[in-house]
Amino acid sequence: MQPSSRLDRLPPYLFPELERKIREKRAAGVDVISLGIGDPDTPTPQPVIDTLARAASDPGTHQYPCNRGRPELREAFARFYDRRFGVALDPETEIIPALGAKECVFNLNLAFLDPDSVALAADPGYPVYTGGPLLAGAEAVLMPLLPARGFAPDLDAIGGDVAERARLLYLNYPNNPTGAILPDGLFERAVEFGREHDVLVVHDASYTETTFDGYVAPSFLETAGARDVGVEVFSLSKGWNMTGWRTAAIVGNAEAVATYWKLKTNIDSGMFEAVQLAAAAALDAGPPAEVTQIYQRRRDLVCDALAEIGVDVTPPKGTIYVWAPVPGGHTSASYCELVLDESGVVVSPGSSYGPNGEGFFRISLTVPDERLAEAVERLRGSLGG
Ligand SMILES: Cc1ncc(COP(=O)(O)O)c(C=O)c1O
């Protein structure tokens, strides 16, 4: 057996030691609480499930789906963008459903990168922005996201050869893992950058619907000129508790959407049509308000407890994560190990999201309130003194 060498290009997996420890703890009878993964614990809205059940009973949905998506779904995305962002999209040319933002982001790398080209990826950032370009045989160049800049990449610092070779620029606000919201002027600067260097700007809008304290996240496509240079990847996973359904779309620049579609027709056969109809119903109903209320309550619980034990944390206005600095004397990895050892609570080391994640850890708010309260109590008890 000879696996492809392209797999050797992927960075080393940073969780094995932590995972070994979790297994060890569980085997020793410790009730481990994992705040590691961002996967909503509350259910998909019932009307969406009901629509799926009805649609799945119709044999008309049982055959290969059309990879362009059913008109009902593309039109529902267009209505949603119009209502929510004031952005008018043409469902014929500017929207294609995707099997999750992850599939879409990964395939954009295959659709747009050649071996000597570059994708500009946030550091720290969602791992597919860096793994995807490597698997496409290209290069990922990291753009540091630093607290002092509000976790905005410095696009003025990208010049010369890298800017020449760049074909994709990934942005994501509200941001995983930092919880940052869109820094002022970033989308406008990204449009200029896209124009200056002939780069496709890809805004990953996975968390625009999970925001707090009255903050309303914009779409990249609201920015003047955005549609000339960019696309947005919109996902139902987090806002509607639909991670398992694999429902998202690429929207925006028609040429980029068509290029993605051309690639995709060669890779998968689209989204189960009953799921497409359920996703259309979800979009028309809008994201349930309770989802964000739950995360806001949990965010407050976690941030208050961290503040009490002396961790200097800024409560995020979006996403489903709290991004906090590790106390002095620790690396991200050593602190996460200590937390697990002392309290049986799993948090993610910031360094697993890129070199500039070092010095931070991430807490996911996707466990039931009682478990989160228990985790917080344990953190208070074991790390507070
Ligand atoms: C920034 C970001 N993009 C994309 C995804 C994946 O989303 P989906 O479930 O739509 O594939 C995630 C999941 O955590 C994410 O954090």
Side-chain angles (χ1 to χ4, degrees), residues 37-40 98-105 125-129 171-177 204-207 233-238 242-249 319-321 353 362:
I37 293 172
D39 192 355
L99 301 172
K102 185 176 193 177
E103 175 264 295
C104 187
V105 167
Y126 180 58
V128 184
Y129 309 145
L171 298 176
N172 159 228
Y173 294 92
N175 180 262
N176 175 20
D204 179 342
S206 288
Y207 297 95
V233 182
F234 185 88
S235 172
L236 280 76
S237 282
K238 306 293 160 57
M242 289 177 69
T243 46
W245 298 59
R246 315 313 301 133
T247 47
T319 77
I320 52 177
Y321 311 108
Y353 302 93
R362 194 193 78 170

Side-chain angles (χ1 to χ4, degrees), residues 42 289-299 365 369:
T42 49
E290 314 85 81
V291 172
T292 44
Q293 285 157 8
I294 290 171
Y295 291 130
Q296 184 168 323
R297 187 172 72 230
R298 293 178 183 172
R299 175 205 65 173
L365 303 173
D369 287 26

Side-chain angles (χ1 to χ4, degrees), residues 271-353:
M271 190 188 294
F272 178 29
E273 293 203 352
V275 171
Q276 293 192 40
L277 295 171
L283 287 163
D284 281 339
E290 314 85 81
V291 172
T292 44
Q293 285 157 8
I294 290 171
Y295 291 130
Q296 184 168 323
R297 187 172 72 230
R298 293 178 183 172
R299 175 205 65 173
D300 291 342
L301 182 77
V302 167
C303 290
D304 290 351
L306 289 176
E308 262 176 48
I309 59 174
V311 177
D312 175 22
V313 66
T314 310
K317 287 200 187 304
T319 77
I320 52 177
Y321 311 108
V322 172
W323 182 247
V326 301
H330 280 285
T331 64
S332 293
S334 72
Y335 186 66
C336 293
E337 274 196 51
L338 176 78
V339 170
L340 178 59
D341 278 338
E342 301 279 309
S343 61
V345 174
V346 178
V347 294
S348 309
S351 51
S352 57
Y353 302 93

Side-chain angles (χ1 to χ4, degrees), residues 199-215:
V199 165
L200 179 71
V201 180
V202 178
H203 179 238
D204 179 342
S206 288
Y207 297 95
T208 51
E209 307 315 298
T210 45
T211 57
F212 319 123
D213 306 331
Y215 172 72

